[in-house]
Amino acid sequence: MQENNLTDFQQCLKCNICTEVCPMMEVNPDYPGPKQAGPDGERYRLKDPAFFDKSIKYCLNCKRCEVACPSGVKVGDIITRAKLRYAHPEHQLRNFALSSTDLVGGLASTFAPVANPVLGLPLTRQVMDSVVGVSSKANMPSYAEKRFEKWFSSIEETQSRYEKKVNYFHGCYVNYNYPELGQDFVKLMNACGYGVRLLDKQKCCGVAMIANGFVQQAKKAARTNLASIEKAEGPVLTTSSSCTLTLREEYEGILGQDCSAAKEKVCLAVKWLYDRIDRGEIRLAFKKGLKIKAVYHTPCHMQRMGTQFYTIELLKLIPGLELSVLEQKCCGIAGTFGFKKENYELSQKIGASLFEDIRASKAQMVITDCETCKWQIEGGTGMKVYNPITLLASVIE
Amino acid sequence: MKEFDVIIIGAGITGAGTARDCALRGLKTLLIERADIADGASGRNHGLLHSGARYAVGDPESACECIKENMILRKVASNCVEATDGLFISLPEDGLEYRDKFLKKCAEAGIHTQTLSPQKALSLEPLVNPELISAVKVPDASVDPFRLVSANVLDARLHGAEVLTQQEVTEIIKEDGRVKGLKVLDKSSGTVNTYYAHYIVNAAGIWGAKIAEMAGVHIGMLPAKGSLLVFDHRVTRMVINRCRKPANADILVPGDVVSVLGTTSDKVPFEQCDDMKVTKEEVDLLLREGCKLVPSLAQTRIIRAYAGVRPLVASDDDPSGRNVSRGIVLLDHLKRDGVDGFISITGGKLTSYRLMAEMTADLLCSKLAIKAKCHTADTPLPGSEKSVKFSSVVRKAREMKMDTSVIEAAVSRHGSQVEAMDFSGKGSELVCECEKVCRAEIAYAVKVLGVKTLDDLRRRTRVGMGPCQSSYCVEKAAKALAEELGDTSLSEELKKDYLQHRWKGIVPVCRAEQLAQAEYLRNKYGK
Ligand SMILES: Cc1cc2nc3c(=O)[nH]c(=O)nc-3n(C[C@H](O)[C@H](O)[C@H](O)COP(=O)(O)OP(=O)(O)OC[C@H]3O[C@@H](n4cnc5c(N)ncnc54)[C@H](O)[C@@H]3O)c2cc1C
Ligand code: SF4
Ligand code: SF4
């Protein structure tokens, strides 16, 4: 029956507040919503798995429901666990490709000069669309020619000169798609007087594997990462909100791993930096004469962790940055969800209102802490989207 | 003047079963109930379809009855019964002496047992007390008493019986020492009607003592109150019993989506039978003992408490009234008291209702010189005629653009009767979210199952029985019901009456989550 203490669904007071904030419910009448897919459904699924309904697959795991719930029900976790337990996966091949970021990323970045143009070609996209089920309209990330880890090994030497060090969990996005962010992180840390060290061994955090139902693979990745984190000396910093949530919360709530080590050590780089600046341990020197108009988009997972505050406060330190914070809305991508052909329209519908707000803001750029939000917003608005670390790295002396 | 072959007083399981049996045999039958069906003990019991194991040591005759009826009801009432099986666990303080006797007695009664190692038992039921030293698996099952009564009433009707609810028998008409008919108060109009029959069957449970008095005979009855707790969800798959001499709070039954723990047993005065409250002491006792079966019950949300009265009948051969007869009590008052035209049927159990009905109908037929045989052991009840395929549920859900779990829930409650539900249009609207009751099910309950109030609806569909105890759905449910009854002005009144009732069962368990839920309910509806 239920494993040990996974019964927080019984705290639900049936107030339906979660239903009000679910972005999927708003656009998709087939989705029964957080309350029914979560705590209500769980009671019935415990009686008989026949009460599992397929529509649960629409859940984005954005966790807005958890943020809203006054009774502390981990609605998103309940739904994700049910998906992992009862769903019969469809589109196995495509989902495996989308979620095995390490495997596919490794291959693609080796062949990046070929992979990028090919992945971008209309014909290839058509084939992916009809055969594999990846939407031809979705803005897919491109693959970097030189993996971050490779770049890092070329400069590792320079890092050992620093007396104080931080560990970096870069994640697969930085490694394969956007090593520039990792480079910016190293630059920023060095400017603060810290050297950077990579973990002994790191795998993709597994967020996509969890979303696509590959629970065994996700558990394997979790164990490797947790072992490395446990071994690491000092804090393990991150630059992605979803990786952070996965390491700190989902490994426990969904995969049932003991992640006390991650809870203790894993920290968003923005929070770590904010704390030190706040305590007067670090002082950043900024370039003069900056004039930037930007908007900040709070990723759903950032909101779930309540960490958007640190990013916003850090950004406020930049002289000449005119920043406005957008009303928190879901961008609709939810990791790999929006890449799937059958979800593309829904994903765009969810994001539409956010895109509208961004366009209306007349800003030069969008700042956000999540890589998949970045793809989605770039695709939806044609605007440039940066991680706060990238922006900070570019404006310091 | 309308004359019946038989009038049955009380639409609990005994009366409903008897009405069905009589109707199947072709008797002109009238069933009269003062409240709603299953309003007495039949709607306030544990919902355990006994395998007989609990009685094997102390009452072998009941044990034999139970196992036979259990096997029959699994077939003819498949839609009301869930073959969960049961475990009898021995804790260190229970020892193994009782278990060994238990195994022997079960074998004698024809109850199949399987002894399990503690490890095996824990692998089947990870949440039972890990200190157990032995477990025995038996064919216990879970039965939904509301559905069972409702299915019997429906089938009686389908075979020509008339059923009156909200009609209270106030007087028994006797002529020349023979019972001839009844005076009945129609509670909604306040009028009194008279009905005549060749025979009148007293199936009024604990209230049967009063009915007997109306006929001028005496039945010594002792009301014994039993309290139970309802937990939010299924904690175990199987029924969990203690393997020891039957005592308080030693059975946990998975009933539909919840778990029910019980019971206590206390003699109470007759006056209390109409308004029973569960006390704080009873809740504490139940919890304390229940945690020995399944320790995690201490952290499980309790959504409700309720109590029922067992109609214990004093043995006729003991003038002191202290000895209680076990098992089924069928009284032919002509033989016993010289009063013709009057029969009482009581005692027994939910599990043995069919046999009780058969015995009563047999007696009636012999008196009426009718040669009809009993068919209830092999005629399925409505809804249990055939099983509904899961693939057809999925198909229907897709067609109606509904969540499969909502239709599956309707199937789990009404079996093949779902075919009489119209899920199109408004029918697909979900009314009670906790228990997944949609408009189509409500319309069916009004049209086919004779629902008049929200409480009636709850008994037939589980509307409002979930964790929120209707704090969220009552408004919607009242509106939907009023519309189905064709009078939208009823909505407010239905809601108010109903909330009073719900409240009563929540009060004794106002702690932790349910306290918060109660506050929510109170703020929303200003109880
Ligand atoms: C706490 C508890 C737990 C139990 N658990 C189990 C169990 O797990 N398994 C099992 O097999 N058995 C169980 N039983 C026993 C079982 O519930 C009863 O034996 C059975 O329900 C009795 O049904 P009945 O129809 O005889 O009586 P009731 O259900 O009480 O029906 C009598 C009906 O008569 C009506 N009535 C009364 N007066 C009048 C009047 N003047 N005019 C018209 N109608 C009238 C009442 O409203 C009532 O509906 C339990 C009993 C209790 C109390
Ligand atoms: S996680 Fe997001 S999409 Fe899923 S139920 Fe909650 S709010 Fe809706
Ligand atoms: S917000 Fe929380 S308590 Fe309210 S319905 Fe949703 S899960 Fe239940």
Side-chain angles (χ1 to χ4, degrees), chain A residues 27-186:
Chain A
V27 299
N28 184 2
D30 291 341
Y31 185 55
K35 172 173 171 285
Q36 283 178 51
D40 287 358
E42 194 62 12
R43 282 179 75 233
Y44 268 82
R45 291 187 292 263
L46 269 177
K47 178 188 171 191
D48 185 347
F51 286 102
F52 176 79
D53 184 77
K54 268 191 356 197
S55 63
I56 202 173
K57 70 179 177 205
Y58 289 116
C59 170
L60 302 165
N61 199 25
C62 68
K63 302 206 178 277
R64 293 166 61 91
C65 47
E66 292 185 8
V67 174
C69 175
S71 309
V73 179
K74 295 213 173 135
V75 193
D77 282 8
I78 295 170
I79 296 173
T80 305
R81 282 201 307 265
K83 264 200 239 176
L84 294 180
R85 192 150 171 192
Y86 305 112
H88 301 290
E90 299 163 7
H91 306 295
Q92 282 281 20
L93 173 66
R94 178 218 41 208
N95 290 353
F96 189 69
L98 281 177
S99 44
S100 302
T101 47
D102 274 331
L103 180 69
V104 178
L107 286 174
S109 61
T110 312
F111 299 107
V114 192
N116 284 335
V118 174
L119 283 174
L121 274 180
L123 184 65
T124 323
R125 293 307 298 272
Q126 278 306 318
V127 172
M128 286 182 66
D129 189 312
S130 50
V131 181
V132 204
V134 174
S135 171
S136 61
K137 296 182 206 129
N139 182 30
M140 287 283 282
S142 57
Y143 286 93
E145 281 179 44
K146 193 170 184 184
R147 279 186 289 139
F148 171 72
E149 281 172 357
K150 216 159 170 194
W151 172 84
F152 187 83
S153 62
S154 71
I155 60 115
E156 202 165 2
E157 189 53 51
T158 61
Q159 299 304 301
S160 53
R161 275 184 244 133
Y162 292 88
E163 193 192 314
K164 294 183 283 187
K165 288 199 183 73
V166 291
N167 303 289
Y168 182 35
F169 184 94
H170 49 69
C172 38
Y173 166 71
V174 164
N175 201 20
Y176 302 115
N177 305 104
Y178 204 54
E180 293 89 332
L181 172 56
Q183 291 162 14
D184 291 333
F185 172 77
V186 175

Side-chain angles (χ1 to χ4, degrees), chain B residues 9 172 202-223 270 273 310-314 331 333 336 342-347:
Chain B
I9 307 171
I172 289 189
N202 169 15
I206 191 66
W207 301 273
K210 278 196 202 152
I211 301 288
E213 253 148 52
M214 291 180 199
V217 299
H218 176 76
I219 309 175
M221 279 189 148
L222 309 163
F270 262 102
C273 295
R310 286 192 185 82
L312 299 183
V313 188
L331 303 175
H333 293 288
R336 183 178 177 263
F342 191 55
I343 291 171
S344 291
I345 174 76
T346 187

Side-chain angles (χ1 to χ4, degrees), chain A residues 11-18 35 39 65 68-71 73 75:
Chain A
Q11 288 159 23
C12 171
L13 296 187
K14 315 294 168 192
C15 65
N16 264 305
I17 289 174
C18 51
K35 172 173 171 285
C65 47
C69 175
S71 309
V73 179
V75 193

Side-chain angles (χ1 to χ4, degrees), chain A residues 167-169 199-203 205 221-238 243-244 246-248 251 258-267:
Chain A
N167 303 289
Y168 182 35
F169 184 94
L199 294 176
D200 254 12
K201 214 173 171 190
Q202 73 161 282
K203 292 210 158 184
C205 69
R223 278 189 223 112
T224 308
N225 289 332
L226 286 169
S228 303
I229 291 166
E230 181 142 22
K231 255 211 280 179
E233 240 172 78
V236 178
L237 302 189
T238 53
C243 293
T244 314
T246 307
L247 294 168
R248 287 177 55 99
Y251 280 0
D258 170 12
C259 56
S260 42
K263 284 212 162 104
E264 184 196 320
K265 292 182 189 167
V266 174
C267 181

Side-chain angles (χ1 to χ4, degrees), chain B residues 217-232:
Chain B
V217 299
H218 176 76
I219 309 175
M221 279 189 148
L222 309 163
K225 171 188 174 193
S227 298
L228 303 103
L229 296 180
V230 186
F231 292 85
D232 173 87

Side-chain angles (χ1 to χ4, degrees), chain B residues 386-494:
Chain B
K386 53 180 193 247
S387 63
V388 179
K389 286 212 185 73
F390 186 60
S391 57
S392 77
V393 172
V394 174
R395 205 176 326 114
K396 185 157 249 162
R398 202 171 302 139
E399 203 180 299
M400 300 296 166
K401 287 190 142 310
M402 283 171 75
D403 193 313
T404 46
S405 66
V406 176
I407 298 190
E408 182 65 13
V411 171
S412 76
R413 291 187 278 263
H414 306 281
S416 47
Q417 286 282 312
V418 278
E419 276 155 26
M421 295 179 197
D422 179 7
F423 292 100
S424 64
K426 254 192 191 167
S428 69
E429 266 170 39
L430 192 58
V431 177
C432 167
E433 295 183 4
C434 293
E435 299 296 346
K436 302 182 185 291
V437 183
C438 66
R439 187 65 187 258
E441 194 176 334
I442 295 178
Y444 164 82
V446 170
K447 232 183 279 145
V448 184
L449 305 180
V451 163
K452 295 188 192 101
T453 69
L454 273 177
D455 242 334
D456 298 358
L457 187 65
R458 168 180 68 80
R459 280 186 279 267
R460 289 163 188 77
T461 64
R462 290 191 72 79
V463 151
M465 279 175 118
C468 91
Q469 291 287 297
S470 61
S471 28
Y472 188 71
C473 65
V474 67
E475 206 98 44
K476 270 199 287 183
K479 207 169 141 265
L481 178 59
E483 270 175 42
E484 293 301 337
L485 289 170
D487 183 358
T488 45
S489 67
L490 277 176
S491 173
E492 270 307 301
E493 200 184 312
L494 287 168

